[in-house]
Amino acid sequence: MSPETPAPLDRSPLKDAELVRAMATGSQGALTELYDRHAPLVVGVAQRILGSREDAEEVAQEVFVHAWRQAASYQADRASVLTWLLLVTRSRAIDRLRSRRVDDRTRAAIESFGEEVHTSSGAFSNVLSEERGRRVREELDRLPAEQREVLEMAFFAGLTQSQIAAAAAIPLGTVKTRTLLAMKKLRAVLREQIRELL
Amino acid sequence: MTSENEREDALILSLVEGGLEALPADISEQEQVLARLYAEVLGLVAQTPEPVAPRPEARERLLAAIAAGEATGPRPAAPAPPLRTPHRPRRWPLALAAGLAALSLGAAGYLAAQLSAAKGDQVRLAGELTRTRETVRELENRVGDLQQRHVEVASRLSLITEPGAAVCALRPQGALAAQPLARGALYVAGDHQHWFLRVSGLPPVPEGKVYHMWFVTDVGPVSGGTFRTEHGASAEIGSPTMPHGMTAVVITIEPATGAQSPSGEEVLFGNQIQLIS
């Protein structure tokens, strides 16, 4: 190949972890790229927890500001970047949920289980994430209803094991068993999806 | 093993309740691997709500917040040095000017050659960078596979050593009866739910066929899964659930398109279930 016709440089998109490393050095472009990739998922999970798009977008802003500030301390061996972002989102949204009138919100969250949330995916075009989300929803639906419910009450309503036991009028040990069974089954059936994130 | 299982369960419950922040800092290497896997499970659960594209103004607000709060942003570019006042041209002899012109032409040629070589280096380095990135991706995939494998092996070791675990040896049947190396074992956990099957010495099945494992129960055969084998390699399948009332296990050769009940050639069979410990 002659020097006048250089080979195309590698233009494959940077991995999430590479973007976070670039953010740690002050690259706002990397932050923008990460936001464009994952903000729809972040807003989606926050809206599922809070029920409000405005609140969800505020949480998303908190999450990406957090990611910007903590980029240098991100530990890739503890969680993939997407999981890190989503778990921070869940934590921030739950904090916000608890800061409201806890009893009313908790009741509403419990009552909302099973209802389909209809939202527009807008400009979201990450086919891989959509496919992964669809597959995980299928596996969640295959779980026994009692296992799926305790997992969703813990994850999306932020209820502790004891609160779930009280709300569902079942023993605490049963709540723990159902949660563990659900998590272990999901780990077994979602191996490919986990591997994608590792 | 029981205490290991308890620690695994405690890790899972901590993650579900409190996320990554709830994990203790002083966990072992194996616990770190487990915690990572279950964190990713939660990450996947978090992907189940439909994505919601944020409004453009939300993006603008974020970038404005970052710009306003980022005290250590990129340093402004250094001011350009002042332009020198051009000297008044002096009158040099024509010959000297011609010499300098020739010298300039030579320097230009040299620089062009250097530039061409630099472009060549750039192309070569870009190719090396691409290959290195591919190697890194392959290694990352292999590390991921090994982590998965490590957890699976630890999980299966735990399964067969916990109290109440049982094993059912499978012996060759039919045409395979003459092959003493063909065998298998079904391991069942103490909870009578988790199980895994390991077989070895089975020849590869013909195209369009699979080995099909069946649980023989009080109410008839229940499929346990299908698998293929390669020459000299063992195969494993497993599941966290097992049908109630299992009395025997049989492996048959069935069409790869699926079978509702065992109808093909029977290759391995076992009905002697023994406690391991």
Side-chain angles (χ1 to χ4, degrees), chain B residues 98-143:
Chain B
L100 284 174
L103 192 61
S104 298
L105 279 174
Y110 172 77
L111 288 174
Q114 289 291 97
L115 182 61
S116 174
K119 281 183 178 173
D121 286 345
Q122 185 186 16
V123 171
R124 181 178 53 77
L125 290 171
E128 286 180 10
L129 180 61
T130 302
R131 286 190 292 277
T132 303
R133 282 181 173 160
E134 285 169 359
T135 304
V136 169
R137 283 191 196 108
E138 286 169 10
L139 289 173
E140 285 175 345
N141 288 337
R142 285 180 58 190
V143 168

Short mmCIF file of all heavy atoms in Angstrom, two decimals, chain B residues 98-143:
data_model
loop_
_atom_site.label_atom_id
_atom_site.label_comp_id
_atom_site.label_asym_id
_atom_site.label_seq_id
_atom_site.Cartn_x
_atom_site.Cartn_y
_atom_site.Cartn_z
N ALA B 98 20.66 32.99 -5.37
CA ALA B 98 20.45 31.76 -6.14
C ALA B 98 20.89 30.55 -5.33
O ALA B 98 20.22 29.49 -5.33
CB ALA B 98 21.23 31.84 -7.44
N GLY B 99 21.98 30.69 -4.59
CA GLY B 99 22.47 29.58 -3.76
C GLY B 99 21.45 29.21 -2.69
O GLY B 99 21.18 28.03 -2.44
N LEU B 100 20.94 30.25 -2.08
CA LEU B 100 19.94 29.99 -1.04
C LEU B 100 18.70 29.30 -1.62
O LEU B 100 18.10 28.43 -1.00
CB LEU B 100 19.54 31.30 -0.37
CG LEU B 100 20.56 31.86 0.62
CD1 LEU B 100 20.12 33.23 1.12
CD2 LEU B 100 20.76 30.92 1.79
N ALA B 101 18.31 29.74 -2.84
CA ALA B 101 17.14 29.13 -3.48
C ALA B 101 17.39 27.65 -3.72
O ALA B 101 16.53 26.79 -3.48
CB ALA B 101 16.84 29.83 -4.78
N ALA B 102 18.61 27.34 -4.18
CA ALA B 102 18.93 25.92 -4.42
C ALA B 102 18.91 25.13 -3.12
O ALA B 102 18.41 24.00 -3.04
CB ALA B 102 20.30 25.83 -5.08
N LEU B 103 19.46 25.77 -2.08
CA LEU B 103 19.48 25.12 -0.77
C LEU B 103 18.04 24.85 -0.29
O LEU B 103 17.71 23.78 0.25
CB LEU B 103 20.22 26.01 0.22
CG LEU B 103 20.58 25.37 1.56
CD1 LEU B 103 21.52 24.18 1.34
CD2 LEU B 103 21.23 26.40 2.47
N SER B 104 17.17 25.84 -0.52
CA SER B 104 15.78 25.69 -0.11
C SER B 104 15.10 24.55 -0.85
O SER B 104 14.33 23.77 -0.28
CB SER B 104 15.00 26.99 -0.38
OG SER B 104 15.55 28.02 0.39
N LEU B 105 15.40 24.46 -2.15
CA LEU B 105 14.82 23.37 -2.94
C LEU B 105 15.26 22.02 -2.39
O LEU B 105 14.46 21.08 -2.25
CB LEU B 105 15.23 23.51 -4.40
CG LEU B 105 14.42 24.51 -5.23
CD1 LEU B 105 15.03 24.64 -6.62
CD2 LEU B 105 12.97 24.05 -5.34
N GLY B 106 16.53 21.95 -2.05
CA GLY B 106 17.06 20.68 -1.50
C GLY B 106 16.38 20.35 -0.18
O GLY B 106 15.97 19.20 0.08
N ALA B 107 16.23 21.38 0.66
CA ALA B 107 15.59 21.15 1.97
C ALA B 107 14.14 20.72 1.78
O ALA B 107 13.64 19.83 2.49
CB ALA B 107 15.66 22.42 2.80
N ALA B 108 13.47 21.36 0.81
CA ALA B 108 12.07 21.00 0.54
C ALA B 108 11.96 19.54 0.11
O ALA B 108 11.07 18.80 0.55
CB ALA B 108 11.49 21.92 -0.52
N GLY B 109 12.89 19.11 -0.74
CA GLY B 109 12.88 17.72 -1.18
C GLY B 109 13.09 16.76 -0.03
O GLY B 109 12.40 15.74 0.11
N TYR B 110 14.06 17.15 0.84
CA TYR B 110 14.34 16.31 2.00
C TYR B 110 13.11 16.21 2.91
O TYR B 110 12.72 15.13 3.36
CB TYR B 110 15.53 16.90 2.77
CG TYR B 110 15.79 16.21 4.09
CD1 TYR B 110 16.41 14.96 4.13
CD2 TYR B 110 15.39 16.80 5.30
CE1 TYR B 110 16.64 14.33 5.33
CE2 TYR B 110 15.61 16.17 6.50
CZ TYR B 110 16.24 14.93 6.51
OH TYR B 110 16.45 14.30 7.71
N LEU B 111 12.46 17.37 3.14
CA LEU B 111 11.28 17.38 4.01
C LEU B 111 10.14 16.55 3.40
O LEU B 111 9.40 15.87 4.11
CB LEU B 111 10.82 18.81 4.26
CG LEU B 111 11.73 19.61 5.19
CD1 LEU B 111 11.27 21.07 5.25
CD2 LEU B 111 11.75 19.01 6.59
N ALA B 112 10.00 16.64 2.06
CA ALA B 112 8.94 15.86 1.40
C ALA B 112 9.17 14.37 1.61
O ALA B 112 8.24 13.60 1.87
CB ALA B 112 8.89 16.20 -0.08
N ALA B 113 10.45 13.97 1.49
CA ALA B 113 10.77 12.56 1.70
C ALA B 113 10.47 12.14 3.13
O ALA B 113 9.92 11.06 3.40
CB ALA B 113 12.25 12.31 1.37
N GLN B 114 10.85 13.03 4.07
CA GLN B 114 10.57 12.74 5.48
C GLN B 114 9.06 12.62 5.73
O GLN B 114 8.60 11.75 6.48
CB GLN B 114 11.14 13.85 6.37
CG GLN B 114 12.65 13.87 6.43
CD GLN B 114 13.19 12.66 7.18
OE1 GLN B 114 13.56 11.67 6.57
NE2 GLN B 114 13.19 12.71 8.49
N LEU B 115 8.29 13.53 5.11
CA LEU B 115 6.84 13.52 5.28
C LEU B 115 6.25 12.22 4.75
O LEU B 115 5.37 11.59 5.36
CB LEU B 115 6.22 14.72 4.55
CG LEU B 115 4.71 14.87 4.68
CD1 LEU B 115 4.32 15.06 6.14
CD2 LEU B 115 4.23 16.05 3.85
N SER B 116 6.77 11.80 3.60
CA SER B 116 6.28 10.56 3.01
C SER B 116 6.58 9.38 3.93
O SER B 116 5.72 8.51 4.16
CB SER B 116 6.95 10.36 1.64
OG SER B 116 6.58 9.10 1.13
N ALA B 117 7.79 9.37 4.51
CA ALA B 117 8.15 8.29 5.43
C ALA B 117 7.26 8.33 6.66
O ALA B 117 6.82 7.28 7.18
CB ALA B 117 9.62 8.41 5.82
N ALA B 118 6.97 9.54 7.15
CA ALA B 118 6.13 9.67 8.35
C ALA B 118 4.72 9.14 8.08
O ALA B 118 4.11 8.49 8.93
CB ALA B 118 6.07 11.13 8.78
N LYS B 119 4.22 9.42 6.85
CA LYS B 119 2.89 8.90 6.50
C LYS B 119 2.90 7.38 6.50
O LYS B 119 1.96 6.71 6.95
CB LYS B 119 2.46 9.42 5.13
CG LYS B 119 1.94 10.86 5.17
CD LYS B 119 1.45 11.28 3.78
CE LYS B 119 0.88 12.69 3.81
NZ LYS B 119 0.56 13.17 2.46
N GLY B 120 4.00 6.83 5.97
CA GLY B 120 4.12 5.36 5.97
C GLY B 120 4.11 4.82 7.38
O GLY B 120 3.44 3.82 7.69
N ASP B 121 4.85 5.49 8.28
CA ASP B 121 4.87 5.07 9.69
C ASP B 121 3.48 5.15 10.30
O ASP B 121 3.07 4.29 11.08
CB ASP B 121 5.84 5.95 10.50
CG ASP B 121 7.29 5.62 10.18
OD1 ASP B 121 7.52 4.54 9.58
OD2 ASP B 121 8.17 6.42 10.53
N GLN B 122 2.76 6.22 9.93
CA GLN B 122 1.41 6.41 10.49
C GLN B 122 0.50 5.25 10.09
O GLN B 122 -0.24 4.71 10.91
CB GLN B 122 0.83 7.73 9.99
CG GLN B 122 -0.51 8.06 10.62
CD GLN B 122 -1.13 9.29 10.00
OE1 GLN B 122 -0.73 9.72 8.92
NE2 GLN B 122 -2.11 9.84 10.67
N VAL B 123 0.59 4.86 8.81
CA VAL B 123 -0.23 3.75 8.33
C VAL B 123 0.13 2.47 9.07
O VAL B 123 -0.74 1.72 9.53
CB VAL B 123 -0.03 3.57 6.81
CG1 VAL B 123 -0.70 2.29 6.33
CG2 VAL B 123 -0.58 4.77 6.07
N ARG B 124 1.45 2.24 9.20
CA ARG B 124 1.88 1.00 9.87
C ARG B 124 1.43 0.98 11.33
O ARG B 124 0.91 -0.02 11.83
CB ARG B 124 3.42 0.91 9.78
CG ARG B 124 4.02 -0.34 10.42
CD ARG B 124 5.52 -0.38 10.25
NE ARG B 124 6.19 0.83 10.70
CZ ARG B 124 6.40 1.11 11.98
NH1 ARG B 124 6.00 0.27 12.91
NH2 ARG B 124 7.01 2.23 12.33
N LEU B 125 1.60 2.13 12.01
CA LEU B 125 1.22 2.18 13.42
C LEU B 125 -0.30 2.02 13.60
O LEU B 125 -0.76 1.41 14.56
CB LEU B 125 1.69 3.50 14.05
CG LEU B 125 3.20 3.61 14.22
CD1 LEU B 125 3.59 5.02 14.64
CD2 LEU B 125 3.69 2.60 15.25
N ALA B 126 -1.06 2.60 12.65
CA ALA B 126 -2.52 2.45 12.73
C ALA B 126 -2.90 0.98 12.61
O ALA B 126 -3.78 0.49 13.33
CB ALA B 126 -3.19 3.27 11.63
N GLY B 127 -2.22 0.27 11.71
CA GLY B 127 -2.49 -1.16 11.57
C GLY B 127 -2.14 -1.92 12.83
O GLY B 127 -2.89 -2.79 13.30
N GLU B 128 -0.99 -1.57 13.44
CA GLU B 128 -0.58 -2.25 14.67
C GLU B 128 -1.57 -1.97 15.79
O GLU B 128 -1.90 -2.84 16.60
CB GLU B 128 0.82 -1.80 15.09
CG GLU B 128 1.92 -2.40 14.21
CD GLU B 128 3.31 -1.94 14.64
OE1 GLU B 128 3.42 -1.31 15.72
OE2 GLU B 128 4.26 -2.19 13.89
N LEU B 129 -2.05 -0.72 15.84
CA LEU B 129 -3.01 -0.34 16.87
C LEU B 129 -4.29 -1.16 16.73
O LEU B 129 -4.84 -1.68 17.71
CB LEU B 129 -3.33 1.15 16.78
CG LEU B 129 -4.33 1.69 17.80
CD1 LEU B 129 -3.80 1.51 19.22
CD2 LEU B 129 -4.62 3.16 17.54
N THR B 130 -4.75 -1.31 15.49
CA THR B 130 -5.97 -2.10 15.25
C THR B 130 -5.77 -3.53 15.69
O THR B 130 -6.62 -4.11 16.38
CB THR B 130 -6.31 -2.07 13.75
OG1 THR B 130 -6.47 -0.72 13.35
CG2 THR B 130 -7.61 -2.83 13.47
N ARG B 131 -4.62 -4.11 15.33
CA ARG B 131 -4.37 -5.50 15.71
C ARG B 131 -4.26 -5.64 17.23
O ARG B 131 -4.75 -6.60 17.82
CB ARG B 131 -3.10 -6.01 15.02
CG ARG B 131 -3.28 -6.29 13.54
CD ARG B 131 -2.08 -7.01 12.95
NE ARG B 131 -0.90 -6.19 12.91
CZ ARG B 131 -0.62 -5.30 11.95
NH1 ARG B 131 -1.47 -5.14 10.96
NH2 ARG B 131 0.48 -4.59 11.98
N THR B 132 -3.60 -4.66 17.87
CA THR B 132 -3.46 -4.74 19.32
C THR B 132 -4.83 -4.66 19.99
O THR B 132 -5.11 -5.38 20.96
CB THR B 132 -2.57 -3.58 19.82
OG1 THR B 132 -1.32 -3.67 19.15
CG2 THR B 132 -2.34 -3.68 21.32
N ARG B 133 -5.70 -3.78 19.48
CA ARG B 133 -7.03 -3.68 20.07
C ARG B 133 -7.81 -4.98 19.92
O ARG B 133 -8.52 -5.41 20.82
CB ARG B 133 -7.82 -2.54 19.41
CG ARG B 133 -7.40 -1.17 19.93
CD ARG B 133 -8.22 -0.07 19.28
NE ARG B 133 -7.94 1.22 19.89
CZ ARG B 133 -8.19 2.38 19.32
NH1 ARG B 133 -8.73 2.41 18.12
NH2 ARG B 133 -7.94 3.50 19.94
N GLU B 134 -7.64 -5.62 18.75
CA GLU B 134 -8.32 -6.90 18.54
C GLU B 134 -7.80 -7.94 19.54
O GLU B 134 -8.57 -8.71 20.11
CB GLU B 134 -8.10 -7.39 17.11
CG GLU B 134 -8.94 -6.62 16.08
CD GLU B 134 -8.52 -6.92 14.66
OE1 GLU B 134 -7.57 -7.70 14.47
OE2 GLU B 134 -9.14 -6.34 13.74
N THR B 135 -6.47 -7.94 19.74
CA THR B 135 -5.90 -8.88 20.69
C THR B 135 -6.44 -8.63 22.09
O THR B 135 -6.80 -9.56 22.83
CB THR B 135 -4.36 -8.75 20.70
OG1 THR B 135 -3.89 -8.93 19.37
CG2 THR B 135 -3.73 -9.77 21.62
N VAL B 136 -6.51 -7.35 22.47
CA VAL B 136 -7.03 -7.01 23.80
C VAL B 136 -8.47 -7.49 23.94
O VAL B 136 -8.87 -8.05 24.96
CB VAL B 136 -6.93 -5.49 24.05
CG1 VAL B 136 -7.71 -5.09 25.29
CG2 VAL B 136 -5.47 -5.08 24.19
N ARG B 137 -9.29 -7.26 22.89
CA ARG B 137 -10.69 -7.71 22.96
C ARG B 137 -10.77 -9.22 23.12
O ARG B 137 -11.56 -9.74 23.90
CB ARG B 137 -11.43 -7.29 21.68
CG ARG B 137 -11.79 -5.83 21.67
CD ARG B 137 -12.73 -5.50 20.53
NE ARG B 137 -12.75 -4.06 20.30
CZ ARG B 137 -12.20 -3.44 19.26
NH1 ARG B 137 -11.62 -4.16 18.33
NH2 ARG B 137 -12.23 -2.14 19.15
N GLU B 138 -9.92 -9.94 22.35
CA GLU B 138 -9.94 -11.40 22.47
C GLU B 138 -9.56 -11.83 23.88
O GLU B 138 -10.18 -12.72 24.46
CB GLU B 138 -8.97 -12.02 21.46
CG GLU B 138 -9.48 -11.97 20.02
CD GLU B 138 -8.38 -12.34 19.03
OE1 GLU B 138 -7.31 -12.81 19.46
OE2 GLU B 138 -8.60 -12.12 17.83
N LEU B 139 -8.53 -11.18 24.43
CA LEU B 139 -8.09 -11.55 25.79
C LEU B 139 -9.18 -11.22 26.81
O LEU B 139 -9.42 -11.99 27.74
CB LEU B 139 -6.79 -10.81 26.14
CG LEU B 139 -5.55 -11.31 25.38
CD1 LEU B 139 -4.36 -10.42 25.67
CD2 LEU B 139 -5.23 -12.75 25.78
N GLU B 140 -9.85 -10.08 26.62
CA GLU B 140 -10.93 -9.73 27.54
C GLU B 140 -12.05 -10.77 27.47
O GLU B 140 -12.62 -11.15 28.50
CB GLU B 140 -11.48 -8.34 27.20
CG GLU B 140 -10.56 -7.22 27.64
CD GLU B 140 -11.05 -5.85 27.21
OE1 GLU B 140 -11.95 -5.78 26.33
OE2 GLU B 140 -10.55 -4.85 27.73
N ASN B 141 -12.36 -11.22 26.26
CA ASN B 141 -13.39 -12.25 26.13
C ASN B 141 -12.97 -13.54 26.82
O ASN B 141 -13.77 -14.20 27.48
CB ASN B 141 -13.67 -12.53 24.65
CG ASN B 141 -14.43 -11.39 24.00
OD1 ASN B 141 -15.09 -10.62 24.69
ND2 ASN B 141 -14.32 -11.26 22.70
N ARG B 142 -11.67 -13.89 26.66
CA ARG B 142 -11.19 -15.12 27.30
C ARG B 142 -11.23 -15.00 28.81
O ARG B 142 -11.59 -15.95 29.51
CB ARG B 142 -9.77 -15.44 26.82
CG ARG B 142 -9.74 -15.99 25.41
CD ARG B 142 -8.33 -16.29 24.96
NE ARG B 142 -7.65 -17.24 25.83
CZ ARG B 142 -6.36 -17.52 25.77
NH1 ARG B 142 -5.62 -16.93 24.87
NH2 ARG B 142 -5.81 -18.39 26.57
N VAL B 143 -10.86 -13.83 29.32
CA VAL B 143 -10.93 -13.62 30.78
C VAL B 143 -12.37 -13.76 31.25
O VAL B 143 -12.65 -14.39 32.27
CB VAL B 143 -10.36 -12.23 31.15
CG1 VAL B 143 -10.69 -11.90 32.60
CG2 VAL B 143 -8.85 -12.22 30.95
#
